[in-house]
Amino acid sequence: MFIVFFIAGEAIAKSNFIKVNGYDVEYEIAGNGSKTVFLEAGGTAGLSDWEPIFEKLAKDTRVIRYSRIGNGGSQKVRKNYSSEEYAEEARLLLEVLNIKKPVVYVAHSYGAYIARRFSATYPEWVSGLMLIEPASEHDVDIMRKIDLEKAEKEIAQIKLDDQANGMSNQYLDFWSKRPLPDYPEIPNIPVTVIASVKKYQNSPMLFFNDKARTMWGQLHSDWVLSFPKGKIVLTDKSYHYPQNDEPEMVINEIKALLDRIKH
């Protein structure tokens, strides 16, 4: 069961745990409205990935955030997860929470893997999609196009660093670089992508040099504009966490996406 309190028209979320697929899952739900925004965190992040925008967003609509199994405050598990399994558990969470209408799926970074898979596998559950600085199966290709030899060395080192840090549940799925669903596997729904093209003063690796930043923006522009209802938002004011650096921009884009959804 979940509890939502309303005081003076503003929503206050109470953190809860609920059983999903036999595991305790941490989640929060707040706000009220005809549409529900479902927030999918990036990487190893939990629901705290959305701290800068959650409460403000909940003033205008119903919002759900959660920590995937193994992340945040959810039950710990060591498993080689795939985006398909994460997507299934996201659907199970929505079912357990008794969500009756399709959600507006908003995902950050690696969460885009799950959101794309979810949207193609369970299209009846999604009325709109937003990907914020989305990880892509084509991202390391940017490095290879700039300098193949240097790219292979840097990619190999990143993999070693991941292993040394105790590869988290999604890393093998991330590095497999399997094709993810695009349009029309993902249905003709309103889709927005927010991608950073902000330049780094001292690029730590190929992926962050000026040419790569331009290619990153082009990659996501091409992807989202293949959707009849696609919209690209390129920002040069934040890096990988626009929800931290530009929370009002992200909130406004979510509201704009909600306005583009008819039901």
Side-chain angles (χ1 to χ4, degrees), residues 222-254:
D222 292 344
W223 185 85
V224 74
L225 295 178
S226 69
F227 287 80
K229 300 175 185 176
K231 177 184 179 181
I232 185 67
V233 178
L234 299 178
T235 177
D236 60 2
K237 295 180 175 62
S238 57
Y239 292 118
H240 192 56
Y241 293 89
Q243 69 269 34
N244 291 349
D245 299 331
E246 299 178 82
E248 292 302 326
M249 180 273 286
V250 173
I251 290 170
N252 288 338
E253 288 299 336
I254 293 174

PDB file of all heavy atoms in Angstrom, residues 222-254:
ATOM      1  N   ASP A 222      19.187  12.874 -34.207  1.00  0.00           N
ATOM      2  CA  ASP A 222      18.769  11.957 -35.268  1.00  0.00           C
ATOM      3  C   ASP A 222      17.811  10.908 -34.727  1.00  0.00           C
ATOM      4  O   ASP A 222      16.819  10.551 -35.382  1.00  0.00           O
ATOM      5  CB  ASP A 222      19.986  11.277 -35.896  1.00  0.00           C
ATOM      6  CG  ASP A 222      20.865  12.240 -36.686  1.00  0.00           C
ATOM      7  OD1 ASP A 222      20.396  13.351 -37.004  1.00  0.00           O
ATOM      8  OD2 ASP A 222      22.026  11.878 -36.960  1.00  0.00           O
ATOM      9  N   TRP A 223      18.114  10.417 -33.524  1.00  0.00           N
ATOM     10  CA  TRP A 223      17.274   9.353 -32.957  1.00  0.00           C
ATOM     11  C   TRP A 223      15.870   9.857 -32.670  1.00  0.00           C
ATOM     12  O   TRP A 223      14.880   9.280 -33.124  1.00  0.00           O
ATOM     13  CB  TRP A 223      17.915   8.807 -31.668  1.00  0.00           C
ATOM     14  CG  TRP A 223      17.145   7.643 -31.118  1.00  0.00           C
ATOM     15  CD1 TRP A 223      17.262   6.335 -31.480  1.00  0.00           C
ATOM     16  CD2 TRP A 223      16.110   7.681 -30.116  1.00  0.00           C
ATOM     17  NE1 TRP A 223      16.369   5.550 -30.769  1.00  0.00           N
ATOM     18  CE2 TRP A 223      15.663   6.354 -29.933  1.00  0.00           C
ATOM     19  CE3 TRP A 223      15.537   8.704 -29.369  1.00  0.00           C
ATOM     20  CZ2 TRP A 223      14.649   6.035 -29.025  1.00  0.00           C
ATOM     21  CZ3 TRP A 223      14.527   8.391 -28.463  1.00  0.00           C
ATOM     22  CH2 TRP A 223      14.090   7.067 -28.294  1.00  0.00           C
ATOM     23  N   VAL A 224      15.754  10.936 -31.924  1.00  0.00           N
ATOM     24  CA  VAL A 224      14.428  11.376 -31.485  1.00  0.00           C
ATOM     25  C   VAL A 224      13.619  11.970 -32.629  1.00  0.00           C
ATOM     26  O   VAL A 224      12.389  11.839 -32.665  1.00  0.00           O
ATOM     27  CB  VAL A 224      14.534  12.367 -30.305  1.00  0.00           C
ATOM     28  CG1 VAL A 224      15.007  13.746 -30.763  1.00  0.00           C
ATOM     29  CG2 VAL A 224      13.192  12.475 -29.580  1.00  0.00           C
ATOM     30  N   LEU A 225      14.280  12.588 -33.603  1.00  0.00           N
ATOM     31  CA  LEU A 225      13.538  13.193 -34.700  1.00  0.00           C
ATOM     32  C   LEU A 225      13.071  12.165 -35.732  1.00  0.00           C
ATOM     33  O   LEU A 225      12.372  12.513 -36.686  1.00  0.00           O
ATOM     34  CB  LEU A 225      14.366  14.297 -35.360  1.00  0.00           C
ATOM     35  CG  LEU A 225      14.645  15.502 -34.439  1.00  0.00           C
ATOM     36  CD1 LEU A 225      15.505  16.537 -35.152  1.00  0.00           C
ATOM     37  CD2 LEU A 225      13.351  16.124 -33.922  1.00  0.00           C
ATOM     38  N   SER A 226      13.444  10.895 -35.535  1.00  0.00           N
ATOM     39  CA  SER A 226      12.851   9.831 -36.342  1.00  0.00           C
ATOM     40  C   SER A 226      11.422   9.537 -35.895  1.00  0.00           C
ATOM     41  O   SER A 226      10.656   8.892 -36.621  1.00  0.00           O
ATOM     42  CB  SER A 226      13.697   8.554 -36.264  1.00  0.00           C
ATOM     43  OG  SER A 226      13.620   7.974 -34.975  1.00  0.00           O
ATOM     44  N   PHE A 227      11.041  10.014 -34.713  1.00  0.00           N
ATOM     45  CA  PHE A 227       9.676   9.880 -34.220  1.00  0.00           C
ATOM     46  C   PHE A 227       8.819  11.013 -34.785  1.00  0.00           C
ATOM     47  O   PHE A 227       9.237  12.172 -34.762  1.00  0.00           O
ATOM     48  CB  PHE A 227       9.637   9.941 -32.693  1.00  0.00           C
ATOM     49  CG  PHE A 227      10.168   8.719 -32.007  1.00  0.00           C
ATOM     50  CD1 PHE A 227      11.533   8.530 -31.851  1.00  0.00           C
ATOM     51  CD2 PHE A 227       9.311   7.757 -31.508  1.00  0.00           C
ATOM     52  CE1 PHE A 227      12.030   7.407 -31.221  1.00  0.00           C
ATOM     53  CE2 PHE A 227       9.799   6.620 -30.874  1.00  0.00           C
ATOM     54  CZ  PHE A 227      11.155   6.444 -30.728  1.00  0.00           C
ATOM     55  N   PRO A 228       7.627  10.710 -35.276  1.00  0.00           N
ATOM     56  CA  PRO A 228       6.761  11.782 -35.782  1.00  0.00           C
ATOM     57  C   PRO A 228       6.485  12.863 -34.743  1.00  0.00           C
ATOM     58  O   PRO A 228       6.284  14.027 -35.099  1.00  0.00           O
ATOM     59  CB  PRO A 228       5.478  11.033 -36.164  1.00  0.00           C
ATOM     60  CG  PRO A 228       5.927   9.641 -36.466  1.00  0.00           C
ATOM     61  CD  PRO A 228       7.046   9.380 -35.495  1.00  0.00           C
ATOM     62  N   LYS A 229       6.477  12.492 -33.470  1.00  0.00           N
ATOM     63  CA  LYS A 229       6.218  13.442 -32.387  1.00  0.00           C
ATOM     64  C   LYS A 229       7.464  13.637 -31.522  1.00  0.00           C
ATOM     65  O   LYS A 229       7.380  13.826 -30.316  1.00  0.00           O
ATOM     66  CB  LYS A 229       5.050  12.968 -31.536  1.00  0.00           C
ATOM     67  CG  LYS A 229       3.746  12.803 -32.303  1.00  0.00           C
ATOM     68  CD  LYS A 229       2.648  12.205 -31.447  1.00  0.00           C
ATOM     69  CE  LYS A 229       1.398  11.927 -32.275  1.00  0.00           C
ATOM     70  NZ  LYS A 229       0.350  11.256 -31.458  1.00  0.00           N
ATOM     71  N   GLY A 230       8.634  13.597 -32.152  1.00  0.00           N
ATOM     72  CA  GLY A 230       9.890  13.736 -31.428  1.00  0.00           C
ATOM     73  C   GLY A 230      10.314  15.179 -31.252  1.00  0.00           C
ATOM     74  O   GLY A 230      10.035  16.034 -32.090  1.00  0.00           O
ATOM     75  N   LYS A 231      11.017  15.436 -30.151  1.00  0.00           N
ATOM     76  CA  LYS A 231      11.540  16.774 -29.855  1.00  0.00           C
ATOM     77  C   LYS A 231      12.925  16.640 -29.248  1.00  0.00           C
ATOM     78  O   LYS A 231      13.133  15.835 -28.330  1.00  0.00           O
ATOM     79  CB  LYS A 231      10.613  17.508 -28.880  1.00  0.00           C
ATOM     80  CG  LYS A 231      11.123  18.889 -28.460  1.00  0.00           C
ATOM     81  CD  LYS A 231      10.198  19.526 -27.422  1.00  0.00           C
ATOM     82  CE  LYS A 231      10.728  20.891 -26.981  1.00  0.00           C
ATOM     83  NZ  LYS A 231       9.853  21.519 -25.948  1.00  0.00           N
ATOM     84  N   ILE A 232      13.884  17.421 -29.733  1.00  0.00           N
ATOM     85  CA  ILE A 232      15.233  17.423 -29.169  1.00  0.00           C
ATOM     86  C   ILE A 232      15.460  18.715 -28.401  1.00  0.00           C
ATOM     87  O   ILE A 232      15.065  19.797 -28.852  1.00  0.00           O
ATOM     88  CB  ILE A 232      16.309  17.254 -30.265  1.00  0.00           C
ATOM     89  CG1 ILE A 232      17.711  17.139 -29.649  1.00  0.00           C
ATOM     90  CG2 ILE A 232      16.237  18.355 -31.297  1.00  0.00           C
ATOM     91  CD1 ILE A 232      17.958  15.904 -28.841  1.00  0.00           C
ATOM     92  N   VAL A 233      16.088  18.599 -27.238  1.00  0.00           N
ATOM     93  CA  VAL A 233      16.495  19.753 -26.439  1.00  0.00           C
ATOM     94  C   VAL A 233      17.991  19.603 -26.182  1.00  0.00           C
ATOM     95  O   VAL A 233      18.405  18.676 -25.479  1.00  0.00           O
ATOM     96  CB  VAL A 233      15.734  19.830 -25.101  1.00  0.00           C
ATOM     97  CG1 VAL A 233      16.222  21.024 -24.276  1.00  0.00           C
ATOM     98  CG2 VAL A 233      14.233  19.915 -25.333  1.00  0.00           C
ATOM     99  N   LEU A 234      18.796  20.460 -26.783  1.00  0.00           N
ATOM    100  CA  LEU A 234      20.236  20.431 -26.586  1.00  0.00           C
ATOM    101  C   LEU A 234      20.614  21.540 -25.611  1.00  0.00           C
ATOM    102  O   LEU A 234      20.242  22.696 -25.802  1.00  0.00           O
ATOM    103  CB  LEU A 234      20.971  20.629 -27.909  1.00  0.00           C
ATOM    104  CG  LEU A 234      20.707  19.576 -28.986  1.00  0.00           C
ATOM    105  CD1 LEU A 234      21.454  19.925 -30.266  1.00  0.00           C
ATOM    106  CD2 LEU A 234      21.108  18.186 -28.499  1.00  0.00           C
ATOM    107  N   THR A 235      21.353  21.185 -24.569  1.00  0.00           N
ATOM    108  CA  THR A 235      21.747  22.173 -23.569  1.00  0.00           C
ATOM    109  C   THR A 235      23.259  22.315 -23.519  1.00  0.00           C
ATOM    110  O   THR A 235      23.990  21.317 -23.591  1.00  0.00           O
ATOM    111  CB  THR A 235      21.223  21.806 -22.170  1.00  0.00           C
ATOM    112  OG1 THR A 235      21.690  22.775 -21.228  1.00  0.00           O
ATOM    113  CG2 THR A 235      21.681  20.419 -21.731  1.00  0.00           C
ATOM    114  N   ASP A 236      23.723  23.554 -23.386  1.00  0.00           N
ATOM    115  CA  ASP A 236      25.149  23.805 -23.189  1.00  0.00           C
ATOM    116  C   ASP A 236      25.394  24.400 -21.801  1.00  0.00           C
ATOM    117  O   ASP A 236      26.409  25.024 -21.555  1.00  0.00           O
ATOM    118  CB  ASP A 236      25.702  24.735 -24.272  1.00  0.00           C
ATOM    119  CG  ASP A 236      25.010  26.098 -24.290  1.00  0.00           C
ATOM    120  OD1 ASP A 236      24.121  26.345 -23.450  1.00  0.00           O
ATOM    121  OD2 ASP A 236      25.365  26.917 -25.156  1.00  0.00           O
ATOM    122  N   LYS A 237      24.436  24.174 -20.903  1.00  0.00           N
ATOM    123  CA  LYS A 237      24.535  24.736 -19.551  1.00  0.00           C
ATOM    124  C   LYS A 237      24.739  23.669 -18.476  1.00  0.00           C
ATOM    125  O   LYS A 237      24.908  23.990 -17.301  1.00  0.00           O
ATOM    126  CB  LYS A 237      23.281  25.556 -19.236  1.00  0.00           C
ATOM    127  CG  LYS A 237      23.118  26.788 -20.126  1.00  0.00           C
ATOM    128  CD  LYS A 237      21.852  27.547 -19.768  1.00  0.00           C
ATOM    129  CE  LYS A 237      21.755  28.848 -20.563  1.00  0.00           C
ATOM    130  NZ  LYS A 237      21.682  28.595 -22.010  1.00  0.00           N
ATOM    131  N   SER A 238      24.697  22.413 -18.847  1.00  0.00           N
ATOM    132  CA  SER A 238      24.914  21.339 -17.870  1.00  0.00           C
ATOM    133  C   SER A 238      25.567  20.166 -18.576  1.00  0.00           C
ATOM    134  O   SER A 238      25.545  20.064 -19.805  1.00  0.00           O
ATOM    135  CB  SER A 238      23.595  20.919 -17.223  1.00  0.00           C
ATOM    136  OG  SER A 238      22.663  20.505 -18.198  1.00  0.00           O
ATOM    137  N   TYR A 239      26.149  19.274 -17.777  1.00  0.00           N
ATOM    138  CA  TYR A 239      26.784  18.086 -18.329  1.00  0.00           C
ATOM    139  C   TYR A 239      25.815  16.901 -18.262  1.00  0.00           C
ATOM    140  O   TYR A 239      24.757  16.942 -18.872  1.00  0.00           O
ATOM    141  CB  TYR A 239      28.098  17.800 -17.608  1.00  0.00           C
ATOM    142  CG  TYR A 239      29.173  18.839 -17.888  1.00  0.00           C
ATOM    143  CD1 TYR A 239      29.705  19.612 -16.861  1.00  0.00           C
ATOM    144  CD2 TYR A 239      29.646  19.060 -19.181  1.00  0.00           C
ATOM    145  CE1 TYR A 239      30.687  20.567 -17.114  1.00  0.00           C
ATOM    146  CE2 TYR A 239      30.623  20.007 -19.449  1.00  0.00           C
ATOM    147  CZ  TYR A 239      31.146  20.759 -18.404  1.00  0.00           C
ATOM    148  OH  TYR A 239      32.119  21.698 -18.659  1.00  0.00           O
ATOM    149  N   HIS A 240      26.142  15.882 -17.499  1.00  0.00           N
ATOM    150  CA  HIS A 240      25.350  14.654 -17.540  1.00  0.00           C
ATOM    151  C   HIS A 240      24.132  14.675 -16.618  1.00  0.00           C
ATOM    152  O   HIS A 240      23.327  13.752 -16.661  1.00  0.00           O
ATOM    153  CB  HIS A 240      26.253  13.460 -17.192  1.00  0.00           C
ATOM    154  CG  HIS A 240      25.631  12.133 -17.487  1.00  0.00           C
ATOM    155  ND1 HIS A 240      25.149  11.796 -18.738  1.00  0.00           N
ATOM    156  CD2 HIS A 240      25.400  11.050 -16.690  1.00  0.00           C
ATOM    157  CE1 HIS A 240      24.660  10.565 -18.702  1.00  0.00           C
ATOM    158  NE2 HIS A 240      24.797  10.098 -17.476  1.00  0.00           N
ATOM    159  N   TYR A 241      23.996  15.712 -15.807  1.00  0.00           N
ATOM    160  CA  TYR A 241      22.889  15.748 -14.840  1.00  0.00           C
ATOM    161  C   TYR A 241      22.081  17.042 -14.994  1.00  0.00           C
ATOM    162  O   TYR A 241      22.066  17.882 -14.086  1.00  0.00           O
ATOM    163  CB  TYR A 241      23.413  15.617 -13.410  1.00  0.00           C
ATOM    164  CG  TYR A 241      24.010  14.271 -13.121  1.00  0.00           C
ATOM    165  CD1 TYR A 241      25.359  14.017 -13.366  1.00  0.00           C
ATOM    166  CD2 TYR A 241      23.234  13.226 -12.606  1.00  0.00           C
ATOM    167  CE1 TYR A 241      25.920  12.770 -13.110  1.00  0.00           C
ATOM    168  CE2 TYR A 241      23.776  11.984 -12.345  1.00  0.00           C
ATOM    169  CZ  TYR A 241      25.125  11.764 -12.602  1.00  0.00           C
ATOM    170  OH  TYR A 241      25.670  10.527 -12.346  1.00  0.00           O
ATOM    171  N   PRO A 242      21.380  17.221 -16.089  1.00  0.00           N
ATOM    172  CA  PRO A 242      20.564  18.432 -16.243  1.00  0.00           C
ATOM    173  C   PRO A 242      19.542  18.611 -15.137  1.00  0.00           C
ATOM    174  O   PRO A 242      19.210  19.748 -14.777  1.00  0.00           O
ATOM    175  CB  PRO A 242      19.874  18.219 -17.599  1.00  0.00           C
ATOM    176  CG  PRO A 242      20.788  17.306 -18.349  1.00  0.00           C
ATOM    177  CD  PRO A 242      21.351  16.385 -17.300  1.00  0.00           C
ATOM    178  N   GLN A 243      19.047  17.510 -14.577  1.00  0.00           N
ATOM    179  CA  GLN A 243      18.065  17.639 -13.493  1.00  0.00           C
ATOM    180  C   GLN A 243      18.678  18.258 -12.242  1.00  0.00           C
ATOM    181  O   GLN A 243      17.966  18.822 -11.410  1.00  0.00           O
ATOM    182  CB  GLN A 243      17.410  16.285 -13.170  1.00  0.00           C
ATOM    183  CG  GLN A 243      18.327  15.248 -12.513  1.00  0.00           C
ATOM    184  CD  GLN A 243      19.025  14.357 -13.512  1.00  0.00           C
ATOM    185  OE1 GLN A 243      19.372  14.802 -14.601  1.00  0.00           O
ATOM    186  NE2 GLN A 243      19.210  13.090 -13.154  1.00  0.00           N
ATOM    187  N   ASN A 244      20.022  18.182 -12.120  1.00  0.00           N
ATOM    188  CA  ASN A 244      20.715  18.847 -11.011  1.00  0.00           C
ATOM    189  C   ASN A 244      21.068  20.285 -11.367  1.00  0.00           C
ATOM    190  O   ASN A 244      20.870  21.202 -10.567  1.00  0.00           O
ATOM    191  CB  ASN A 244      22.010  18.105 -10.657  1.00  0.00           C
ATOM    192  CG  ASN A 244      21.758  16.757 -10.025  1.00  0.00           C
ATOM    193  OD1 ASN A 244      20.628  16.430  -9.652  1.00  0.00           O
ATOM    194  ND2 ASN A 244      22.797  15.964  -9.917  1.00  0.00           N
ATOM    195  N   ASP A 245      21.611  20.483 -12.573  1.00  0.00           N
ATOM    196  CA  ASP A 245      22.144  21.784 -12.971  1.00  0.00           C
ATOM    197  C   ASP A 245      21.081  22.727 -13.519  1.00  0.00           C
ATOM    198  O   ASP A 245      21.216  23.945 -13.408  1.00  0.00           O
ATOM    199  CB  ASP A 245      23.244  21.592 -14.016  1.00  0.00           C
ATOM    200  CG  ASP A 245      24.405  20.772 -13.489  1.00  0.00           C
ATOM    201  OD1 ASP A 245      24.650  20.812 -12.276  1.00  0.00           O
ATOM    202  OD2 ASP A 245      25.052  20.069 -14.295  1.00  0.00           O
ATOM    203  N   GLU A 246      20.060  22.165 -14.146  1.00  0.00           N
ATOM    204  CA  GLU A 246      18.991  22.973 -14.740  1.00  0.00           C
ATOM    205  C   GLU A 246      17.617  22.383 -14.385  1.00  0.00           C
ATOM    206  O   GLU A 246      16.836  22.017 -15.265  1.00  0.00           O
ATOM    207  CB  GLU A 246      19.135  23.021 -16.253  1.00  0.00           C
ATOM    208  CG  GLU A 246      20.434  23.631 -16.761  1.00  0.00           C
ATOM    209  CD  GLU A 246      20.504  23.588 -18.278  1.00  0.00           C
ATOM    210  OE1 GLU A 246      19.910  24.477 -18.917  1.00  0.00           O
ATOM    211  OE2 GLU A 246      21.130  22.647 -18.796  1.00  0.00           O
ATOM    212  N   PRO A 247      17.309  22.287 -13.105  1.00  0.00           N
ATOM    213  CA  PRO A 247      16.059  21.626 -12.711  1.00  0.00           C
ATOM    214  C   PRO A 247      14.809  22.280 -13.302  1.00  0.00           C
ATOM    215  O   PRO A 247      13.874  21.572 -13.703  1.00  0.00           O
ATOM    216  CB  PRO A 247      16.066  21.709 -11.182  1.00  0.00           C
ATOM    217  CG  PRO A 247      17.035  22.795 -10.850  1.00  0.00           C
ATOM    218  CD  PRO A 247      18.066  22.752 -11.928  1.00  0.00           C
ATOM    219  N   GLU A 248      14.787  23.613 -13.373  1.00  0.00           N
ATOM    220  CA  GLU A 248      13.599  24.290 -13.906  1.00  0.00           C
ATOM    221  C   GLU A 248      13.406  23.972 -15.384  1.00  0.00           C
ATOM    222  O   GLU A 248      12.276  23.795 -15.846  1.00  0.00           O
ATOM    223  CB  GLU A 248      13.703  25.794 -13.689  1.00  0.00           C
ATOM    224  CG  GLU A 248      13.622  26.217 -12.227  1.00  0.00           C
ATOM    225  CD  GLU A 248      12.331  25.774 -11.551  1.00  0.00           C
ATOM    226  OE1 GLU A 248      11.283  25.734 -12.240  1.00  0.00           O
ATOM    227  OE2 GLU A 248      12.359  25.464 -10.344  1.00  0.00           O
ATOM    228  N   MET A 249      14.512  23.892 -16.130  1.00  0.00           N
ATOM    229  CA  MET A 249      14.407  23.531 -17.544  1.00  0.00           C
ATOM    230  C   MET A 249      13.820  22.140 -17.698  1.00  0.00           C
ATOM    231  O   MET A 249      12.924  21.902 -18.523  1.00  0.00           O
ATOM    232  CB  MET A 249      15.780  23.619 -18.215  1.00  0.00           C
ATOM    233  CG  MET A 249      15.785  23.261 -19.711  1.00  0.00           C
ATOM    234  SD  MET A 249      16.000  21.486 -20.061  1.00  0.00           S
ATOM    235  CE  MET A 249      17.744  21.288 -19.686  1.00  0.00           C
ATOM    236  N   VAL A 250      14.311  21.196 -16.897  1.00  0.00           N
ATOM    237  CA  VAL A 250      13.820  19.822 -16.991  1.00  0.00           C
ATOM    238  C   VAL A 250      12.344  19.760 -16.617  1.00  0.00           C
ATOM    239  O   VAL A 250      11.536  19.110 -17.298  1.00  0.00           O
ATOM    240  CB  VAL A 250      14.660  18.885 -16.108  1.00  0.00           C
ATOM    241  CG1 VAL A 250      14.044  17.492 -16.059  1.00  0.00           C
ATOM    242  CG2 VAL A 250      16.095  18.808 -16.636  1.00  0.00           C
ATOM    243  N   ILE A 251      11.963  20.437 -15.542  1.00  0.00           N
ATOM    244  CA  ILE A 251      10.560  20.459 -15.127  1.00  0.00           C
ATOM    245  C   ILE A 251       9.689  21.045 -16.230  1.00  0.00           C
ATOM    246  O   ILE A 251       8.621  20.503 -16.565  1.00  0.00           O
ATOM    247  CB  ILE A 251      10.398  21.259 -13.821  1.00  0.00           C
ATOM    248  CG1 ILE A 251      11.013  20.483 -12.647  1.00  0.00           C
ATOM    249  CG2 ILE A 251       8.925  21.556 -13.544  1.00  0.00           C
ATOM    250  CD1 ILE A 251      11.107  21.277 -11.370  1.00  0.00           C
ATOM    251  N   ASN A 252      10.135  22.138 -16.824  1.00  0.00           N
ATOM    252  CA  ASN A 252       9.354  22.767 -17.892  1.00  0.00           C
ATOM    253  C   ASN A 252       9.209  21.852 -19.106  1.00  0.00           C
ATOM    254  O   ASN A 252       8.145  21.816 -19.752  1.00  0.00           O
ATOM    255  CB  ASN A 252       9.994  24.090 -18.307  1.00  0.00           C
ATOM    256  CG  ASN A 252       9.821  25.173 -17.259  1.00  0.00           C
ATOM    257  OD1 ASN A 252       8.907  25.114 -16.419  1.00  0.00           O
ATOM    258  ND2 ASN A 252      10.697  26.171 -17.273  1.00  0.00           N
ATOM    259  N   GLU A 253      10.267  21.092 -19.411  1.00  0.00           N
ATOM    260  CA  GLU A 253      10.179  20.180 -20.552  1.00  0.00           C
ATOM    261  C   GLU A 253       9.254  19.004 -20.249  1.00  0.00           C
ATOM    262  O   GLU A 253       8.553  18.507 -21.140  1.00  0.00           O
ATOM    263  CB  GLU A 253      11.566  19.690 -20.957  1.00  0.00           C
ATOM    264  CG  GLU A 253      12.424  20.751 -21.629  1.00  0.00           C
ATOM    265  CD  GLU A 253      11.834  21.279 -22.926  1.00  0.00           C
ATOM    266  OE1 GLU A 253      11.021  20.564 -23.559  1.00  0.00           O
ATOM    267  OE2 GLU A 253      12.177  22.408 -23.302  1.00  0.00           O
ATOM    268  N   ILE A 254       9.246  18.546 -19.004  1.00  0.00           N
ATOM    269  CA  ILE A 254       8.306  17.482 -18.623  1.00  0.00           C
ATOM    270  C   ILE A 254       6.875  17.999 -18.735  1.00  0.00           C
ATOM    271  O   ILE A 254       5.983  17.315 -19.260  1.00  0.00           O
ATOM    272  CB  ILE A 254       8.602  16.962 -17.207  1.00  0.00           C
ATOM    273  CG1 ILE A 254       9.947  16.230 -17.181  1.00  0.00           C
ATOM    274  CG2 ILE A 254       7.492  16.018 -16.734  1.00  0.00           C
ATOM    275  CD1 ILE A 254      10.406  15.808 -15.795  1.00  0.00           C
TER     276      ILE A 254
END
